[in-house]
Amino acid sequence: MERCAARRAPEEERRVRANAREYNEKFQYASNCIKTSKYNIVTFLPVNLFEQFQEVANTYFLFLLILQLIPQISSLSWFTTIVPLVLVLTITAVKDATDDYFRHKSDNQVNNRQSQVLIGGVLRQEQWMNVRVGDIIKLENNQFVAADLLLLSSSEPHGLCYIETSELDGETNMKVRQAIPVTSELGDTGKLAGFDGEVICEPPNNKLDKFGGTLYWKENKYPLSNQNMLLRGCVLRNTEWCFGLVVFAGPDTKLMQNSGRTKFKRTSIDRLMNTLVLWIFGFLVCMGVILAIGNAIWEHEVGVCFQIYLPWDEGVHSAFFSGFLSFWSYIIILNTVVPISLYVSVEVIRLGHSYFINWDKKMYCAKRRTPAEARTTTLNEELGQVEYIFSDKTGTLTQNIMVFSKCSVNGHSYGDVQDVLGPKAELGERPEPVDFSFNPLADPRFQFWDPSLLEAVKLGDPHVHEFFRLLSLCHTVMSEEKSQGELFYKAQSPDEGALVAAARNFGFVFRSRTPKTITVQELGRAVTYQLLAILDFNNIRKRMSVIVRSPEGKIRLYCKGADTILLERLHPLNQDLSNVTTDHLNEYAGEGLRTLVLAYKDLEESYYEDWAERLRRASSVPEAREDRLARLYDEVERDMMLLGATAIEDKLQQGVPETIAILTLANIKIWVLTGDKQETAVNIGYSCKMLTDDVTEVFVVTGHTVLEVREELRKAREKMMDASHSTANGFSYQEKLCSSKLTSVLEAIAGEYALVINGHSLAHALEADMEVEFLETACACKAVICCRVTPLQKAQVVELVKKYKKAVTLAIGDGANDVSMIKTAHIGVGISGQEGIQAVLASDYSFSQFKFLQRLLLVHGRWSYLRMCKFLCYFFYKNFAFTMVHFWFGFFCGFSAQTVYDQYFITLYNIVYTSLPVLAMGVFDQDVPEQRSMEYPKLYEPGQLNLLFNKREFFICIAQGIYTSVLMFFIPYGVFADATRDDGAQLADYQSFAVTVATSLVIVVSVQIGLDTGFWTAINHFFIWGSLAAYFAILFAMHSDGLFQMFPNQFRFMGNAQNTLAQPTVWLTIALTTVVCIMPVVAFRFLKLDLKPELSDTVRYTQLVRKKQKTQHRCMRRVGRAGSRRSGYAFSHQEGFGELIMSGKNMRLSSLALAGFAARPSAGWIETLRKKKGGDSGAGSPDKTLKV
């Protein structure tokens, strides 16, 4: 496993010779072994201890332990520190070892996968980890690609093979790769064993879509591109076998180059606690210095007079040295201001919160039998502070399932569900789906709900027939017929597959194709069309066309594409029909559907012959070939006749729009970072309600140069600034001007904006001199969508926000292409979906559906943050109250480092007497129930603003602790100065005073935690009252006859507790101390609740009032987005596929085919969310005035 981690000098170029291990080994290329774990058996202990002692607190306690081992200055036993320190280090080490064990297990599972390697002319089974650069390996259908390979040959004609790249870019549609012609005939092991070609190519890099190299073989050289490469993480599909030459292995593969490093993640509270520990240590040193100076002065002025019976310790010869030793003694005594039990308790609380996430049945997916899983225990409270979410699209927001939903044909809209009387049926009243039993070739999984479309087909409506004829002809889908009538379609994009499947069910069945023909079964009759040309799709054209000759000899062009492009290319005669279709498109877009416009054009034979000849000449000229073809395509695709439009639903995961809407209300900004194309991503933005008509403007950045991108960003900022100046109301605008460093005036703009940026533009925007401009522009927008981004760019965007915005980031994704982003963000969430488990393995939290993110943040995250903050505030309070008593006592004991309490009370105070109640509060407390947390998203904002535990709150806590310690010491001291026992004897002895102060302290902090607890459980009651009972039981036991007789040197004060607590004066003193310590707190909280209540207080009040009133049911209605956006269209495949079909290189299909396209009806989204104030419509509702 060590060879996985070998470091090498960076390469300038890579040379690989096939079947020559000895030659390749001299370059010391990485093996195919991967390593994601952090430790091994040898390095675990030193590395883990080094990491743990990076925590300031652990180093601080180690220093205290060393001090306690010095007898001259130690006033407490060493075991009071070493036991909890070892406990903390052990618990953390076990947790880290467990996490790393699972990483080792995952690595071993991958490294031990089997692969067929050609060695000595024979195929041998080898583990992945033993594959070397230069090896030739054989892959079979549905196998993962073991390393980055140069495709040599395959079972398909012309060396073609089909791959799925979801682990790399998140896209589940198939892609085509092709071997270079000279190697495509090397189909058997004999020929491959004699292959000795040498590849010289670029060094390892993370660019997934680029590869440059040259193959030298038989004194010839052949250029290589990305189309010849199979990358690790891809899956071979629909190809029986292929052979490939290993070019990059293990850590050098593009997948691993994009995976990023495992980063040690700390929460903001951890970082703050490290700072506070340093401050407290400084405070401790100041107190030690004060008391040491006091000791030196006292010994010089007073102590010198008592040398006879209070001599200095051996080795102490001056008051100054006595003060020096006293300083270290007080450091030890006062160290309990930050006891190590704080860190033990924090780990226990975080572990409890993690189990709550794991046990949450509402985050369990029954369909996949997948529970939510907290894969780390250190980040739970940070879930309550998230401000930015970075989400993948495919498989995270969507299911990547396309459904033919609606269409418009010749001005008539089909697809709306009708009831028997005619009007549109309401949600939940959907009738039976259309019966396609008349068609033996229909796909049984396809469902459509409007029978009038099928009736139009059966009645012979020529427009409807032509509509479906276009869908069955104008595409690049491949067909395979395993048995008679059993059709399987292989579509490059799922939306193309959905359209062809729709035509199939309505009677226009695409059966087969050759390079020059397409066969369609039209209503039972086989018709073969001559395929004359495919005008392929690209991102600029945003359309594709086919030119076919019908059996009657008529030449016709069929075209489908984005409405913004096609509508302006129609013949003027289509104006009226175009207006009606535009209205339908607006309606479909309002429902978030992906739209396409369909059109056709009849061509004269003479014109086509002339155009085809010009096309042939343009194709044969290499210079400016693309521009020449584009002009010819543009010429023929004009003056078309409008047929209609289609509307496809990209199946979102259940609950995505509601989740995004509620997270937006919680002031969380959501950015979508996807490898998918711009139009697809924008469509999903509308579908999931990230983009709506409320958005003032969507800025699209598509510049190819630095200057273009800078100019587009500048124009976007200017537009936002102009709108802000013209509409700002003054108050909010001016208020925002006084914000922190990078927060510009842009973030105070009036209006909502969205930013869409492409990957090539993002590469420029992320450069050092432009990243701040990009970030300011993006952060001023309500929604940001980054398209065609690489995995590394995803991580760079997250890193940019982390660098300049002091905000907690969360990244969520489901594929290997999301791993870098997940590791870079403060919190990484993996979706256990259909794209492997790479994202889950790299994540901090995992579950199966995006909608669970809402509950993870608003319930578990908010509660974890609330509980941790309350825990810390109380912990610092109780320990300052406990420790500062020693400081005040120092002024009355000659600064002698004498403790007020006995050492057993000091040891047990944080371990027994006060540990369990605060743990119960930290694990179980809640301010409002989970339903209210989801209903009132604004409750989440205190965590984002870090209001519940910060430096100000910390100083308030220690001020309250110091105030309590003053009263705790001086009230008993004042009473005991003149108090007498019942028998007239003096009450004031040291041990009675210690018992009184200790009892007062335990009672006061117990009452305080009762006030702090917002949610009482049986466990809280048991721990609070049980701890009090334990205190008295242990107190009386330590002062009992039995312990004195067994350990007379340890328990010398026999009967003291019984005698002291038998005095009414003592109990009155304890009661007075408790009242004086607690009453100001109670009074302050009552005034605050009455005069300046927090939102959670108001929610609790409304909840109490609601219990007294009859619950009112909220009406929920479906609202469509009546919008004008139609830029997004259902067409997301790559350029070049049409040319491949026309070449005839991919005509023979393998025996395995794509699964059919699921076409289940989509449940409508209920857009009207319950308002945060509860949405009660009744007059006089008590929460009517609640503003959230």
Side-chain angles (χ1 to χ4, degrees), residues 5 26 35 64 114 139 178 192 218 269 271 421 568 616 687 716 843 871 875 897 921 962 973 1056 1081 1141 1168 1179:
K26 71 181 183 182
K35 179 175 180 286
L64 286 175
Q114 296 294 308
L139 294 174
Q178 185 174 14
L192 286 164
K218 294 182 178 179
I269 285 183
R271 293 189 291 271
L421 299 177
E568 62 188 28
R616 187 190 61 78
S687 298
S843 67
F871 163 81
F875 211 98
M921 182 178 73
I962 292 172
Y973 184 84
N1056 180 270
V1081 178
I1141 288 173
T1168 308

Side-chain angles (χ1 to χ4, degrees), residues 768-932:
D769 60 339
M770 207 192 302
E771 61 181 13
V772 175
E773 295 178 49
F774 165 66
L775 184 65
E776 284 191 326
T777 310
C779 288
C781 296
K782 174 190 174 185
V784 178
I785 299 175
C786 302
C787 319
R788 285 295 183 204
V789 293
T790 66
L792 193 65
Q793 281 180 322
K794 291 184 178 185
Q796 288 172 337
V797 171
V798 177
E799 188 63 50
L800 180 64
V801 175
K802 284 177 63 179
K803 180 179 177 182
Y804 289 106
K805 308 290 289 183
K806 291 186 176 179
V808 176
T809 59
L810 180 147
I812 180 169
D814 70 320
N817 58 317
D818 304 312
V819 168
S820 279
M821 172 176 75
I822 285 171
K823 287 184 175 180
T824 302
H826 292 100
I827 302 166
V829 178
I831 299 282
S832 50
Q834 301 177 9
E835 295 188 17
I837 59 170
Q838 294 270 3
V840 171
L841 292 176
S843 67
D844 304 305
Y845 301 89
S846 68
F847 40 71
S848 62
Q849 295 185 44
F850 182 85
K851 67 177 182 180
F852 295 146
L853 185 62
Q854 173 185 346
R855 185 170 178 82
L856 181 72
L857 299 184
L858 300 189
V859 178
H860 292 289
R862 202 181 73 81
W863 278 354
S864 295
Y865 174 72
L866 170 79
R867 291 162 176 167
M868 186 60 72
C869 292
K870 292 182 74 171
F871 163 81
L872 291 172
C873 288
Y874 175 78
F875 211 98
F876 284 119
Y877 153 75
K878 78 180 181 67
N879 281 288
F880 267 83
F882 165 65
T883 306
M884 290 300 293
V885 171
H886 293 302
F887 180 77
W888 312 125
F889 184 56
F891 290 91
F892 297 89
C893 68
F895 305 97
S896 60
Q898 173 68 42
T899 61
V900 176
Y901 323 106
D902 64 71
Q903 68 176 5
Y904 296 104
F905 180 81
I906 293 172
T907 304
L908 296 176
Y909 176 75
N910 281 305
I911 295 176
V912 178
Y913 301 151
T914 60
S915 61
L916 294 179
V918 72
L919 273 180
M921 182 178 73
V923 172
F924 299 109
D925 202 47
Q926 52 184 262
D927 54 349
V928 297
E930 60 184 67
Q931 299 90 342
R932 298 291 174 258

Side-chain angles (χ1 to χ4, degrees), residues 381-520:
E381 64 270 15
E382 199 132 85
L383 289 170
Q385 299 180 276
V386 173
E387 285 188 57
Y388 289 87
I389 293 176
F390 300 91
S391 175
D392 178 40
K393 181 192 75 69
T394 308
T396 302
L397 298 177
T398 70
Q399 302 175 40
N400 208 31
I401 298 172
M402 306 293 179
V403 177
F404 182 81
S405 181
K406 295 184 179 184
C407 63
S408 171
V409 183
N410 195 34
H412 191 287
S413 180
Y414 299 94
D416 286 319
V417 182
Q418 307 288 326
D419 66 16
V420 291
L421 299 177
K424 292 182 183 180
E426 294 297 323
L427 185 66
E429 300 173 8
R430 175 166 283 182
E432 290 297 314
V434 173
D435 180 12
F436 292 107
S437 58
F438 79 96
N439 181 1
L441 294 175
D443 184 347
R445 289 164 296 189
F446 179 87
Q447 289 185 314
F448 197 73
W449 306 91
D450 185 356
S452 63
L453 183 58
L454 183 58
E455 290 172 11
V457 172
K458 291 180 177 180
L459 291 173
D461 186 324
H463 297 100
V464 174
H465 281 204
E466 200 65 17
F467 177 89
F468 284 115
R469 186 173 291 116
L470 184 152
L471 292 182
S472 66
L473 293 171
C474 185
H475 56 78
T476 57
V477 174
M478 306 299 295
S479 173
E480 178 182 14
E481 193 163 352
K482 279 188 173 180
S483 59
Q484 185 63 33
E486 190 178 357
L487 282 173
F488 289 91
Y489 290 151
K490 290 194 296 187
Q492 197 202 0
S493 66
D495 27 31
E496 273 223 313
L499 293 173
V500 177
R504 168 185 175 178
N505 273 58
F506 281 98
F508 288 75
V509 185
F510 165 59
R511 293 299 295 263
S512 63
R513 78 189 316 148
T514 70
K516 298 299 180 184
T517 65
I518 297 178
T519 301
V520 178

Side-chain angles (χ1 to χ4, degrees), residues 1009-1059:
I1009 199 167
L1011 291 174
D1012 288 346
T1013 301
F1015 182 72
W1016 285 87
T1017 66
I1019 296 174
N1020 292 84
H1021 283 288
F1022 177 74
F1023 281 173
I1024 290 176
W1025 313 127
S1027 295
L1028 271 174
Y1031 165 73
F1032 284 109
I1034 293 171
L1035 179 67
F1036 288 125
M1038 286 195 302
H1039 292 83
S1040 64
D1041 297 345
L1043 279 180
F1044 172 73
Q1045 291 171 1
M1046 287 186 284
F1047 308 103
N1049 293 329
Q1050 298 294 323
F1051 302 97
R1052 296 188 291 271
F1053 301 99
M1054 181 183 67
N1056 180 270
Q1058 295 88 328
N1059 291 335

Side-chain angles (χ1 to χ4, degrees), residues 1157-1175:
F1157 293 94
R1160 297 186 302 273
S1162 161
W1165 183 67
I1166 308 303
E1167 189 177 82
T1168 308
L1169 292 163
R1170 289 189 293 182
K1171 298 299 182 184
K1172 288 166 285 181
K1173 66 178 183 177

Side-chain angles (χ1 to χ4, degrees), residues 359-364 851-852 855 930-931:
W359 293 339
D360 191 342
K361 291 182 179 179
K362 293 182 180 178
M363 295 172 67
Y364 175 79
K851 67 177 182 180
F852 295 146
R855 185 170 178 82
E930 60 184 67
Q931 299 90 342

Side-chain angles (χ1 to χ4, degrees), residues 19 34 71 115 153 261 284 337 420 449 567 630 751 753 853 871 879 920 938 987 1015 1041 1103 1110 1149 1153:
N19 294 312
I34 63 164
S115 185
S153 61
R261 293 183 176 180
L284 181 60
V337 284
V420 291
W449 306 91
L567 291 177
Y753 297 88
L853 185 62
F871 163 81
N879 281 288
K938 285 290 182 184
L987 182 59
F1015 182 72
D1041 297 345
Q1103 185 182 355
K1110 185 178 178 180
L1149 300 176

